[in-house]
Amino acid sequence: MTTVETIESHVEGAWATGKGQAAKLFNPTTEGEVATADTAGIDMGKALAYARETGGKALRALTFKDRAELLFKMSQVTHKAREELIETEVINQGCTRSDAKFDVDGAIGTLAAYAELGKKLGDTRILADGEGLALGRSPRLWGQHVYTPKLGAAVFVNAFNFPAWGFAEKAACALLAGMPVVSKPATATALTAYRMTKHLIEHAGLPAGAMSFIGGAPGDMLDHLESQDVLAFTGSAATGNKMRERKNVIERSIKLNIEADSLNAMVVGPDVEVGSEALALFLREAAKDITQKTGQKCTAVRRIFVPAKLVDDVIAELSARFAAIKIGDPSSNDTGMGPVATKAQLEEVKRGIGLLKKDADVVFGEGAIVPSSGYFHPIMLFRARDPKNAPNVHNHEVFGPIATIVAYSGDAEEAGQLVGLGQGCLVSSIYSDDKAFIERATVAIAPWTGRVYIAGAKVADHTMGPGTVLPFSVHGGPGRAGGGEELGGLRGVVHFMQRTALQGYRPIVEGIAGIKSSASPA
Ligand code: NAP
């Protein structure tokens, strides 16, 4: 019999368990219970105050270079726990080992990348923002923008699908900025986040209060946010909107970053032909993107725009690839795709399929057999009946191994309009070797998307697919995707800092900003 682990919280510098009705966490393959989580009775106000007062103070006393060393250590500690964390994702998320590595290695790599960035920022605590300038006729009066760390806590509310990476991408930026972290993972898959945090708190040498962990329901935590805090949320657009509407968040102008739903798009260019390298790359990446993590990736493609002449070939090729993927126990080496993470998620996928069917026909996967116990769902491919009049295809994110093919004319501006019907996405990709088409399509698509991934023969052997979030490219998107932005190198760090315009005598202003001026004003 497997033991059921109790997930604790780490607040006010100590581990604590709740005293209420614990939530149960399951293995989505066996439906067996793996852990419980309970935060009832934890004083969220005191937890935040301790982070601000003890953790914030200690982190702000360090320089960027010191904080970079902490991130490097965090990366090393996570790497040491890698095997355990991968195993945890298999039992508490239904990830195949490959899917679990994607999350855990993403966390390790992101922490290391920000450690490198912090090292370059050096032994300083304030960041200069851009160039300074003379504010009047006299060279004495000088203007310079600077960033200083916010004095509150960086509070993270994360989604169920990336318990390691989702935490690390936020934590790397906040800790480097000098803000203490209060992390609340999604309850259903919190076991990975809990075990990772335990290793970090015990072995990464973080100052007291630098990292707190809420292992379960947030209770009234968000009502205790104060004006110097930052709230970084990843999850569904519906929950994100609830955060936006919270009285406390509005009244105190809490800085809020939202990463939410996304109807990501792939656009195949009109130049792409059967047998071409660009088509082979597209098929490889589309098949991976739809099935990796059983489609539970915020960056996974949901809509695939294909020139009408290629649609039948694309459906046939993708169907053949999907038919070869074995769905089953994710701990088996020959399994290509595991279950979705929770029972609720499975029901949500089925509901989404009902909506897609209003506007699209199933072209692969209808009635496919999957294991009858566990939260398994077949891979499904749809074809939209009327590309521009398919509201469910463009508006409803089915968070599973599902995508819809949408035929279009091959015109770049039309592709942009179709992508825009999704009302804002995290990533859109263009598969083409036609420079003119790529340029026009990029301009048409970019306003609707946080990242444009351009793939073709020239980069075919060097790409990692559109689904990979890289620390030095921004992650986030407009509109439905939440309007937020994370990562992007220094861009992600300054979300946790205050930008202030300094105006004064040039040597003083530049001294504060850490700029060595060559000019000597009279
Ligand atoms: P969710 O149901 O919205 O939950 C997300 C987080 O919000 C969880 O930690 C949840 O806690 C918490 N939460 C829910 N209601 C809350 C409330 N009233 N107050 C405070 N916290 C609350 O989303 P999910 O099912 O975990 O994740 C799937 C969604 O996330 C998908 O729509 C996907 O597109 C999106 N996602 C987006 C990105 C991105 O970067 N844009 C990345 C990953 C996922 P409990 O678990 O304790 O309820």
Side-chain angles (χ1 to χ4, degrees):
M1 209 177 112
T2 44
T3 47
V4 174
E5 193 162 335
T6 302
I7 293 180
E8 302 161 285
S9 295
H10 195 266
V11 288
E12 298 180 67
W15 290 102
T17 43
K19 293 176 181 56
Q21 182 76 35
K24 293 177 176 177
L25 283 68
F26 296 96
N27 180 334
T29 309
T30 63
E31 301 187 28
E33 191 178 335
V34 292
T36 60
D38 179 14
T39 58
I42 288 178
D43 189 327
M44 299 292 172
K46 281 190 182 165
L48 291 184
Y50 179 80
R52 284 181 206 114
E53 285 152 26
T54 307
K57 200 167 166 195
L59 286 166
R60 289 194 303 276
L62 303 176
T63 65
F64 285 107
K65 198 164 145 234
D66 300 329
R67 293 177 213 142
E69 278 168 25
L70 290 178
L71 295 184
F72 186 57
K73 187 82 184 143
M74 286 170 74
S75 176
Q76 283 180 319
V77 169
T78 310
H79 191 269
K80 210 166 165 206
R82 182 175 182 268
E83 198 50 43
E84 179 197 337
L85 298 177
I86 289 170
E87 287 299 322
T88 310
E89 299 215 350
V90 175
I91 62 156
N92 183 213
Q93 251 192 102
C95 288
T96 60
R97 279 186 61 82
S98 159
D99 289 347
K101 281 182 205 164
F102 188 60
D103 184 38
V104 176
D105 290 344
I108 295 167
T110 301
L111 289 165
Y114 272 91
E116 282 300 322
L117 176 68
K119 207 160 85 181
K120 286 188 199 130
L121 295 176
D123 264 322
T124 175
R125 295 180 183 82
I126 294 182
L127 283 180
D129 174 40
E131 305 259 302
L133 79 168
L135 294 177
R137 285 206 195 137
S138 160
R140 291 182 176 209
L141 188 62
W142 195 250
Q144 172 70 52
H145 290 88
V146 294
Y147 285 107
T148 52
K150 283 182 168 281
L151 304 177
V155 176
F156 308 155
V157 177
N158 268 320
F160 75 85
N161 56 340
F162 282 104
W165 198 349
F167 157 74
E169 67 182 22
K170 291 179 169 64
C173 292
L175 291 170
L176 188 55
M179 278 192 96
V181 160
V182 179
S183 158
K184 187 227 135 4
T187 303
T189 60
L191 192 55
T192 307
Y194 169 59
R195 288 182 175 173
M196 179 173 167
T197 306
K198 224 168 173 172
H199 286 290
L200 293 173
I201 285 179
E202 281 164 19
H203 305 297
L206 290 161
M211 192 181 298
S212 304
F213 180 77
I214 307 299
D220 63 356
M221 178 171 72
L222 301 187
D223 295 329
H224 294 281
L225 292 175
E226 294 184 354
S227 58
Q228 285 283 316
D229 295 337
V230 175
L231 173 58
F233 168 77
T234 296
S236 63
T239 311
N241 288 338
K242 282 192 204 153
M243 307 258 160
R244 255 189 253 281
E245 290 162 2
R246 277 186 99 94
K247 193 163 171 275
N248 190 36
V249 169
I250 296 171
E251 284 179 356
R252 292 173 187 252
S253 300
I254 307 289
K255 190 160 182 193
L256 171 61
N257 193 73
I258 293 187
E259 301 288 340
D261 301 1
S262 180
L263 279 299
N264 304 302
M266 282 182 173
V267 174
V268 179
D271 56 303
V272 175
E273 290 178 349
V274 174
S276 66
E277 213 171 341
L279 187 66
L281 178 64
F282 155 74
L283 292 167
R284 201 163 63 234
E285 294 192 338
K288 179 176 174 189
D289 212 46
I290 292 165
T291 55
Q292 188 175 40
K293 287 185 68 83
T294 318
Q296 302 162 108
K297 245 175 21 195
C298 52
T299 51
V301 65
R302 308 291 172 196
R303 302 173 297 152
I304 302 176
F305 301 107
V306 180
K309 61 178 184 184
L310 260 191
V311 164
D312 290 340
D313 293 292
V314 164
I315 290 173
E317 288 281 351
L318 284 178
S319 300
R321 283 164 199 256
F322 293 150
I325 294 175
K326 187 178 163 216
I327 301 174
D329 181 351
S331 62
S332 297
N333 283 339
D334 61 342
T335 294
M337 196 180 87
V340 294
T342 62
K343 194 171 180 204
Q345 191 55 34
L346 182 61
E347 277 155 16
E348 204 32 44
V349 169
K350 287 180 181 165
R351 188 179 77 84
I353 281 169
L355 291 173
L356 285 184
K357 281 184 175 172
K358 292 184 180 185
D359 298 332
D361 299 317
V362 182
V363 291
F364 178 83
E366 184 77 290
I369 309 284
V370 291
S372 55
S373 65
Y375 312 137
F376 290 92
H377 196 280
I379 305 163
M380 288 180 82
L381 195 60
F382 286 76
R383 178 182 182 163
R385 285 181 214 115
D386 179 351
K388 289 191 182 130
N389 187 21
N392 290 296
V393 170
H394 295 295
N395 288 306
H396 191 79
E397 180 198 46
V398 185
F399 212 56
I402 322 286
T404 303
I405 305 280
V406 182
Y408 83 112
S409 65
D411 175 70
E413 279 70 35
E414 187 191 339
Q417 283 162 11
L418 287 165
V419 170
L421 292 177
Q423 296 299 318
C425 26
L426 296 171
V427 55
S428 298
S429 353
I430 302 169
Y431 291 83
S432 172
D433 291 313
D434 176 344
K435 192 163 171 281
F437 173 82
I438 293 170
E439 285 175 4
R440 282 175 48 216
T442 301
V443 171
I445 288 168
W448 294 111
T449 190
R451 178 160 58 90
V452 178
Y453 170 87
I454 302 164
K458 293 269 191 249
V459 291
D461 297 330
H462 310 277
T463 57
M464 45 196 70
T468 304
V469 171
L470 296 170
F472 295 129
S473 292
V474 290
H475 172 61
R480 188 194 309 282
E485 213 180 63
E486 290 182 334
L487 299 172
L490 208 50
R491 294 171 188 87
V493 178
V494 299
H495 285 309
F496 298 95
M497 304 184 86
Q498 176 62 40
R499 178 163 47 196
T500 304
L502 303 184
Q503 300 172 332
Y505 183 46
R506 182 172 182 177
I508 291 179
V509 165
E510 293 193 325
I512 295 167
I515 294 168
K516 288 189 188 74
S517 177
S518 51
S520 56

